[in-house]
Amino acid sequence: MLRTETTRVPNTVEFHSDARTARLFAEHRKLENLARNIANAHPKVFLMGTDPVVDQLAFSMGFPPTDLVVLRLSVAGRSVTAIAVHARVWLSADAKSRAIELKRESRRAGTTCILVPHKWLKAGVRSSVARTISRARNVRHSRAQMNKILEHLREARISTIAEAAGVLDDHEDPIAVVLALASQGFVDLDRRAPLSGSTWLSTRF
């Protein structure tokens, strides 16, 4: 008797669907990280988590969870919801129209929203600088170390990252301390170009 074996043929449609879903969620994670980094890099912006009301409105208007990143922010003491919008939304006239309508509906529900295009978040220099400053946000330093840097900046008026870091001889990563002070609003630095030791900085304190 001839024995035959059956081999299951992979479902190509299912495979491509899974691959596409994985890609969409990976892109969504990148978009969320970009949005969080930009927010964390600014001293007057504080992340307050997600906004369930706006999330629900987006879902009811047909947006899949991978199209938008909704973050509740406190900006200079004012509550605002930022909606980071994936580039593919702007490429579709219908989806773009719905995104604008989502902003209007959120406003009617009592929530101030801003739409933040993906391409703005991805801007090379801006994104790189924001990411670097964001990473230094939680660097530990003492008040005495902060005062050393601020005193140097008050005396010099305009200095550089390298010069400001040079006044600290009691910290393992003095440049990170300078960047941490920038993320906390104590130090202003030039964000128009990639950060380096020669990046100009000053203080208003």
Side-chain angles (χ1 to χ4, degrees), residues 85-150:
V85 185
H86 198 281
R88 61 177 165 271
V89 172
W90 298 114
L91 296 176
S92 164
D94 173 66
K96 182 178 179 180
S97 175
R98 283 186 289 122
I100 295 171
E101 184 60 25
L102 172 60
K103 179 181 177 181
R104 294 192 186 117
E105 287 295 324
S106 299
R107 181 68 177 177
R108 293 187 189 104
T111 300
T112 300
C113 284
I114 54 173
L115 296 177
V116 185
H118 192 180
K119 67 178 181 180
W120 188 89
L121 293 172
K122 285 180 67 177
V125 170
R126 186 186 299 114
S127 175
S128 173
V129 171
R131 184 166 56 250
T132 302
I133 294 176
S134 176
R135 286 172 179 165
R137 189 179 184 92
N138 296 317
V139 170
R140 296 186 177 216
H141 58 81
S142 66
R143 180 171 292 276
Q145 290 167 336
M146 178 183 76
N147 287 337
K148 277 185 181 180
I149 291 175
L150 294 182

Coordinates of all heavy atoms in Angstrom, one line a residue, residues 85-150:
V85 N 0.5 62.1 14.2 CA -0.2 61.5 13.1 C 0.8 60.9 12.1 O 1.7 61.5 11.6 CB -1.0 62.5 12.3 CG1 -1.9 61.9 11.2 CG2 -2.0 63.3 13.3
H86 N 0.6 59.6 11.8 CA 1.5 58.9 10.9 C 1.5 59.5 9.5 O 0.4 60.0 9.1 CB 1.2 57.4 10.9 CG 2.3 56.6 10.3 ND1 2.6 56.5 9.0 CD2 3.3 55.8 11.0 CE1 3.6 55.7 8.8 NE2 4.1 55.3 10.0
A87 N 2.6 59.4 8.8 CA 2.7 60.0 7.5 C 1.6 59.5 6.5 O 1.1 60.2 5.7 CB 4.1 59.8 6.9
R88 N 1.2 58.2 6.7 CA 0.3 57.6 5.7 C -1.1 58.3 5.8 O -1.9 58.3 4.9 CB 0.2 56.1 5.9 CG -0.3 55.6 7.3 CD -0.5 54.1 7.3 NE -0.5 53.7 8.7 CZ 0.5 53.4 9.5 NH1 1.7 53.4 8.9 NH2 0.4 53.0 10.7
V89 N -1.4 58.8 7.0 CA -2.7 59.5 7.2 C -2.8 60.7 6.3 O -3.8 61.0 5.7 CB -2.9 59.9 8.7 CG1 -4.2 60.7 8.9 CG2 -3.0 58.6 9.5
W90 N -1.6 61.5 6.3 CA -1.6 62.7 5.5 C -1.7 62.4 4.0 O -2.0 63.3 3.2 CB -0.4 63.5 5.8 CG -0.3 64.0 7.2 CD1 0.6 63.6 8.2 CD2 -1.2 64.9 7.9 NE1 0.3 64.2 9.4 CE2 -0.8 65.0 9.2 CE3 -2.3 65.6 7.5 CZ2 -1.4 65.8 10.1 CZ3 -3.0 66.4 8.4 CH2 -2.5 66.5 9.7
L91 N -1.3 61.2 3.6 CA -1.3 60.9 2.2 C -2.7 60.5 1.7 O -2.9 60.4 0.5 CB -0.3 59.7 1.9 CG 1.2 60.0 2.2 CD1 2.0 58.7 2.0 CD2 1.7 61.1 1.3
S92 N -3.6 60.3 2.6 CA -5.0 59.9 2.2 C -5.9 61.1 2.5 O -6.0 61.6 3.7 CB -5.4 58.7 3.1 OG -6.8 58.6 3.0
A93 N -6.5 61.6 1.5 CA -7.4 62.7 1.7 C -8.5 62.4 2.7 O -8.8 63.3 3.5 CB -8.1 63.1 0.3
D94 N -9.1 61.2 2.7 CA -10.1 60.9 3.6 C -9.6 60.8 5.0 O -10.2 61.4 6.0 CB -10.7 59.5 3.2 CG -11.7 59.0 4.2 OD1 -12.8 59.6 4.4 OD2 -11.4 58.0 4.9
A95 N -8.4 60.1 5.2 CA -7.9 60.0 6.6 C -7.5 61.4 7.1 O -7.7 61.7 8.3 CB -6.7 59.0 6.6
K96 N -6.9 62.2 6.3 CA -6.5 63.5 6.7 C -7.7 64.3 7.1 O -7.6 65.0 8.2 CB -5.8 64.2 5.5 CG -5.2 65.6 5.9 CD -4.5 66.2 4.7 CE -4.0 67.6 5.0 NZ -3.3 68.2 3.9
S97 N -8.8 64.2 6.4 CA -10.0 64.9 6.7 C -10.5 64.5 8.1 O -11.0 65.3 8.9 CB -11.0 64.7 5.6 OG -12.3 65.3 6.0
R98 N -10.4 63.2 8.3 CA -10.9 62.6 9.6 C -10.0 63.0 10.7 O -10.5 63.2 11.9 CB -11.0 61.1 9.5 CG -12.2 60.6 8.7 CD -12.4 59.1 8.8 NE -11.4 58.4 8.0 CZ -10.5 57.5 8.5 NH1 -10.5 57.2 9.7 NH2 -9.6 56.9 7.7
A99 N -8.7 63.2 10.5 CA -7.8 63.6 11.6 C -8.2 65.1 12.0 O -8.2 65.4 13.2 CB -6.4 63.6 11.1
I100 N -8.5 65.9 11.0 CA -8.8 67.3 11.3 C -10.2 67.3 12.0 O -10.4 68.1 13.0 CB -8.9 68.1 10.0 CG1 -7.5 68.2 9.4 CG2 -9.5 69.5 10.2 CD1 -7.4 68.8 8.0
E101 N -11.1 66.5 11.6 CA -12.4 66.4 12.3 C -12.2 65.8 13.7 O -13.0 66.3 14.6 CB -13.3 65.5 11.5 CG -14.7 65.4 12.0 CD -15.4 66.7 12.1 OE1 -15.1 67.6 11.3 OE2 -16.3 66.9 13.0
L102 N -11.3 64.9 13.9 CA -11.0 64.4 15.3 C -10.6 65.6 16.2 O -11.0 65.6 17.3 CB -9.9 63.4 15.2 CG -9.3 62.9 16.5 CD1 -10.4 62.2 17.4 CD2 -8.2 61.9 16.3
K103 N -9.8 66.5 15.7 CA -9.3 67.6 16.5 C -10.5 68.5 16.8 O -10.7 68.9 18.0 CB -8.3 68.4 15.7 CG -7.8 69.7 16.4 CD -6.9 70.5 15.5 CE -6.4 71.7 16.2 NZ -5.5 72.5 15.4
R104 N -11.4 68.7 15.9 CA -12.6 69.5 16.1 C -13.6 68.8 17.1 O -14.1 69.5 18.1 CB -13.4 69.7 14.8 CG -12.7 70.6 13.8 CD -13.6 71.0 12.7 NE -12.9 71.6 11.6 CZ -12.8 71.2 10.4 NH1 -13.4 70.0 10.0 NH2 -12.2 71.9 9.4
E105 N -13.7 67.5 17.0 CA -14.6 66.8 17.9 C -14.0 66.8 19.3 O -14.8 66.9 20.3 CB -14.8 65.3 17.4 CG -15.7 65.2 16.2 CD -17.1 65.6 16.5 OE1 -17.6 65.4 17.6 OE2 -17.8 66.2 15.6
S106 N -12.7 66.7 19.4 CA -12.1 66.7 20.7 C -12.3 68.1 21.4 O -12.5 68.2 22.6 CB -10.6 66.4 20.6 OG -10.4 65.1 20.0
R107 N -12.2 69.1 20.6 CA -12.4 70.4 21.1 C -13.9 70.6 21.6 O -14.1 71.2 22.7 CB -12.2 71.5 20.0 CG -12.4 72.9 20.4 CD -11.3 73.3 21.4 NE -11.4 74.7 21.7 CZ -10.6 75.4 22.6 NH1 -9.7 74.7 23.2 NH2 -10.8 76.6 22.9
R108 N -14.8 70.0 20.9 CA -16.2 70.1 21.4 C -16.4 69.3 22.7 O -17.3 69.6 23.5 CB -17.1 69.5 20.3 CG -17.2 70.3 19.0 CD -18.3 69.8 18.1 NE -18.2 70.5 16.8 CZ -17.7 69.9 15.7 NH1 -17.3 68.7 15.7 NH2 -17.7 70.6 14.5
A109 N -15.6 68.3 22.9 CA -15.6 67.5 24.1 C -14.9 68.1 25.2 O -14.8 67.6 26.3 CB -15.1 66.1 23.8
G110 N -14.3 69.3 25.0 CA -13.6 70.0 26.0 C -12.1 69.8 26.1 O -11.5 70.2 27.1
T111 N -11.5 69.2 25.1 CA -10.1 68.9 25.1 C -9.4 69.7 24.0 O -9.8 69.6 22.8 CB -9.8 67.4 24.8 OG1 -10.5 66.6 25.9 CG2 -8.4 67.1 24.8
T112 N -8.4 70.4 24.4 CA -7.6 71.1 23.4 C -6.6 70.2 22.8 O -5.8 69.5 23.5 CB -6.8 72.3 24.1 OG1 -7.8 73.2 24.6 CG2 -6.0 73.1 23.0
C113 N -6.6 70.1 21.5 CA -5.7 69.1 20.8 C -4.8 69.8 19.8 O -5.2 70.9 19.2 CB -6.5 68.1 20.0 SG -7.2 66.8 21.1
I114 N -3.6 69.3 19.5 CA -2.8 69.7 18.4 C -2.4 68.5 17.6 O -2.2 67.4 18.2 CB -1.5 70.4 18.9 CG1 -0.7 69.5 19.9 CG2 -1.8 71.7 19.6 CD1 0.6 70.1 20.4
L115 N -2.4 68.6 16.3 CA -2.0 67.6 15.4 C -0.6 67.7 15.1 O -0.1 68.8 14.7 CB -2.9 67.6 14.1 CG -4.4 67.3 14.3 CD1 -5.1 67.5 12.9 CD2 -4.6 66.0 14.8
V116 N 0.2 66.7 15.3 CA 1.7 66.8 15.1 C 2.0 65.8 13.9 O 2.0 64.6 14.1 CB 2.5 66.4 16.3 CG1 4.0 66.6 16.1 CG2 2.0 67.2 17.5
P117 N 2.4 66.3 12.8 CA 2.7 65.4 11.6 C 4.0 64.6 11.9 O 4.9 65.1 12.5 CB 3.0 66.4 10.5 CG 2.3 67.6 10.9 CD 2.4 67.7 12.4
H118 N 4.0 63.4 11.4 CA 5.1 62.5 11.6 C 6.4 63.1 11.0 O 7.5 63.0 11.6 CB 4.8 61.2 10.8 CG 5.7 60.0 11.1 ND1 5.6 58.8 10.5 CD2 6.8 59.9 11.9 CE1 6.6 58.0 10.9 NE2 7.3 58.7 11.8
K119 N 6.3 63.7 9.9 CA 7.5 64.3 9.2 C 8.2 65.4 10.1 O 9.4 65.5 10.1 CB 7.2 64.8 7.8 CG 6.3 66.1 7.8 CD 6.1 66.5 6.4 CE 5.2 67.8 6.3 NZ 5.0 68.3 5.0
W120 N 7.3 66.1 10.9 CA 7.9 67.1 11.8 C 8.7 66.4 12.9 O 9.8 66.9 13.2 CB 6.8 67.9 12.4 CG 7.3 69.1 13.2 CD1 7.5 70.3 12.7 CD2 7.6 69.1 14.6 NE1 8.0 71.1 13.7 CE2 8.0 70.4 14.9 CE3 7.5 68.2 15.6 CZ2 8.4 70.8 16.2 CZ3 7.9 68.5 16.9 CH2 8.3 69.8 17.2
L121 N 8.2 65.3 13.4 CA 8.9 64.6 14.5 C 10.2 63.9 14.0 O 11.1 63.8 14.7 CB 8.0 63.5 15.1 CG 6.7 64.0 15.8 CD1 5.9 62.8 16.2 CD2 7.2 64.7 17.1
K122 N 10.1 63.6 12.7 CA 11.3 62.8 12.1 C 12.4 63.8 11.6 O 13.4 63.3 11.2 CB 10.8 62.0 10.9 CG 10.1 60.7 11.3 CD 9.7 59.9 10.1 CE 10.9 59.4 9.4 NZ 10.4 58.5 8.2
A123 N 12.1 65.1 11.6 CA 13.2 66.0 11.2 C 14.5 65.7 11.8 O 14.6 65.7 13.0 CB 12.7 67.5 11.5
G124 N 15.5 65.4 11.0 CA 16.8 64.9 11.4 C 17.4 65.5 12.6 O 17.5 64.9 13.7
V125 N 17.8 66.8 12.5 CA 18.5 67.4 13.6 C 17.6 67.6 14.8 O 18.0 67.3 16.0 CB 19.0 68.8 13.1 CG1 19.5 69.6 14.3 CG2 20.0 68.7 12.1
R126 N 16.4 68.0 14.6 CA 15.5 68.2 15.7 C 15.2 66.9 16.5 O 15.3 66.9 17.7 CB 14.1 68.7 15.2 CG 13.1 69.1 16.3 CD 11.8 69.5 15.8 NE 11.8 70.6 14.9 CZ 11.6 70.6 13.6 NH1 11.3 69.4 13.0 NH2 11.6 71.6 12.8
S127 N 15.0 65.8 15.8 CA 14.8 64.6 16.5 C 16.0 64.1 17.2 O 15.9 63.6 18.3 CB 14.4 63.5 15.4 OG 14.2 62.3 16.0
S128 N 17.2 64.2 16.6 CA 18.4 63.8 17.2 C 18.7 64.5 18.5 O 19.1 64.0 19.5 CB 19.6 63.9 16.2 OG 20.8 63.7 16.8
V129 N 18.6 65.9 18.4 CA 18.8 66.7 19.6 C 17.9 66.4 20.7 O 18.2 66.2 21.9 CB 18.8 68.2 19.2 CG1 18.8 69.1 20.5 CG2 19.9 68.6 18.3
A130 N 16.6 66.3 20.3 CA 15.6 65.9 21.4 C 15.8 64.6 22.0 O 15.7 64.4 23.2 CB 14.2 66.0 20.7
R131 N 16.2 63.6 21.2 CA 16.5 62.3 21.7 C 17.7 62.3 22.7 O 17.6 61.7 23.8 CB 16.8 61.3 20.6 CG 16.9 59.9 21.0 CD 16.9 58.9 19.8 NE 17.8 59.2 18.8 CZ 17.5 59.7 17.6 NH1 16.2 60.0 17.3 NH2 18.4 60.0 16.7
T132 N 18.7 63.0 22.3 CA 19.9 63.1 23.2 C 19.6 63.8 24.5 O 20.0 63.3 25.6 CB 21.0 63.9 22.5 OG1 21.3 63.2 21.2 CG2 22.3 63.9 23.3
I133 N 18.9 64.9 24.5 CA 18.5 65.6 25.7 C 17.6 64.8 26.5 O 17.7 64.7 27.8 CB 17.9 67.0 25.3 CG1 18.9 67.9 24.7 CG2 17.3 67.7 26.6 CD1 18.4 69.2 24.2
S134 N 16.6 64.1 25.9 CA 15.7 63.3 26.6 C 16.4 62.2 27.4 O 16.0 61.9 28.5 CB 14.7 62.7 25.6 OG 13.8 61.8 26.3
R135 N 17.4 61.6 26.8 CA 18.1 60.5 27.5 C 18.8 61.0 28.7 O 19.0 60.2 29.7 CB 19.1 59.9 26.5 CG 18.4 59.0 25.4 CD 19.5 58.6 24.4 NE 18.9 57.7 23.4 CZ 19.4 57.4 22.2 NH1 20.7 57.9 22.0 NH2 18.8 56.6 21.4
A136 N 19.1 62.3 28.8 CA 19.9 62.8 29.9 C 19.0 63.3 31.0 O 19.4 63.8 32.1 CB 20.8 63.9 29.5
R137 N 17.7 63.3 30.8 CA 16.7 63.9 31.6 C 16.8 63.5 33.1 O 16.7 64.3 34.0 CB 15.3 63.7 31.1 CG 14.2 64.5 31.8 CD 12.8 64.2 31.2 NE 11.8 65.0 31.9 CZ 11.4 66.2 31.4 NH1 11.9 66.7 30.3 NH2 10.4 66.9 32.0
N138 N 17.1 62.2 33.3 CA 17.1 61.7 34.7 C 18.5 61.4 35.2 O 18.6 60.7 36.2 CB 16.3 60.4 34.7 CG 14.8 60.6 34.4 OD1 14.2 61.5 34.8 ND2 14.2 59.7 33.6
V139 N 19.5 62.0 34.6 CA 20.8 61.9 35.1 C 20.9 62.6 36.5 O 20.5 63.7 36.7 CB 21.9 62.6 34.2 CG1 23.2 62.7 34.8 CG2 21.9 61.8 32.9
R140 N 21.5 61.8 37.5 CA 21.6 62.3 38.8 C 22.7 63.3 39.0 O 23.8 63.1 38.5 CB 21.7 61.2 39.8 CG 20.5 60.2 39.8 CD 20.7 59.2 40.9 NE 19.5 58.4 41.0 CZ 19.0 57.9 42.1 NH1 19.6 58.2 43.2 NH2 18.0 57.1 42.0
H141 N 22.4 64.4 39.7 CA 23.5 65.4 40.0 C 23.1 66.1 41.3 O 21.9 66.1 41.6 CB 23.7 66.3 38.9 CG 22.4 67.1 38.5 ND1 22.0 68.2 39.2 CD2 21.5 66.9 37.5 CE1 20.8 68.6 38.6 NE2 20.5 67.8 37.6
S142 N 24.0 66.7 41.9 CA 23.7 67.4 43.2 C 23.4 68.9 42.9 O 23.7 69.4 41.8 CB 24.9 67.3 44.1 OG 26.0 68.0 43.6
R143 N 22.8 69.5 43.9 CA 22.5 71.0 43.7 C 23.8 71.7 43.6 O 23.9 72.7 42.8 CB 21.7 71.5 44.9 CG 21.4 72.9 44.8 CD 20.4 73.3 45.9 NE 19.1 72.7 45.7 CZ 18.2 73.3 44.9 NH1 18.5 74.4 44.3 NH2 17.0 72.7 44.8
A144 N 24.9 71.3 44.3 CA 26.2 72.0 44.2 C 26.7 71.9 42.8 O 27.3 72.8 42.3 CB 27.2 71.3 45.2
Q145 N 26.6 70.7 42.2 CA 27.1 70.5 40.8 C 26.3 71.4 39.8 O 26.9 72.0 38.9 CB 27.0 69.1 40.4 CG 28.0 68.2 41.1 CD 27.7 66.7 41.0 OE1 26.5 66.3 40.7 NE2 28.7 65.9 41.1
M146 N 25.0 71.5 40.0 CA 24.2 72.4 39.2 C 24.6 73.8 39.4 O 24.8 74.6 38.4 CB 22.7 72.2 39.6 CG 21.8 73.2 38.8 SD 20.1 73.1 39.3 CE 20.1 74.0 40.8
N147 N 24.8 74.2 40.6 CA 25.2 75.6 40.9 C 26.6 76.0 40.3 O 26.8 77.1 39.8 CB 25.3 75.9 42.4 CG 23.9 75.9 43.0 OD1 22.9 76.2 42.3 ND2 23.8 75.7 44.3
K148 N 27.5 75.0 40.2 CA 28.8 75.2 39.6 C 28.6 75.6 38.1 O 29.2 76.5 37.6 CB 29.7 74.0 39.7 CG 30.4 73.8 41.0 CD 31.4 72.6 40.9 CE 32.1 72.4 42.2 NZ 33.0 71.2 42.1
I149 N 27.8 74.8 37.4 CA 27.6 75.1 36.0 C 26.9 76.4 35.8 O 27.2 77.2 34.9 CB 26.8 73.9 35.4 CG1 27.6 72.6 35.4 CG2 26.3 74.3 34.0 CD1 26.9 71.4 34.9
L150 N 25.8 76.7 36.6 CA 25.1 77.9 36.4 C 26.0 79.1 36.7 O 25.9 80.2 36.1 CB 23.9 77.9 37.3 CG 22.8 76.9 37.0 CD1 21.6 77.0 37.9 CD2 22.3 77.0 35.5

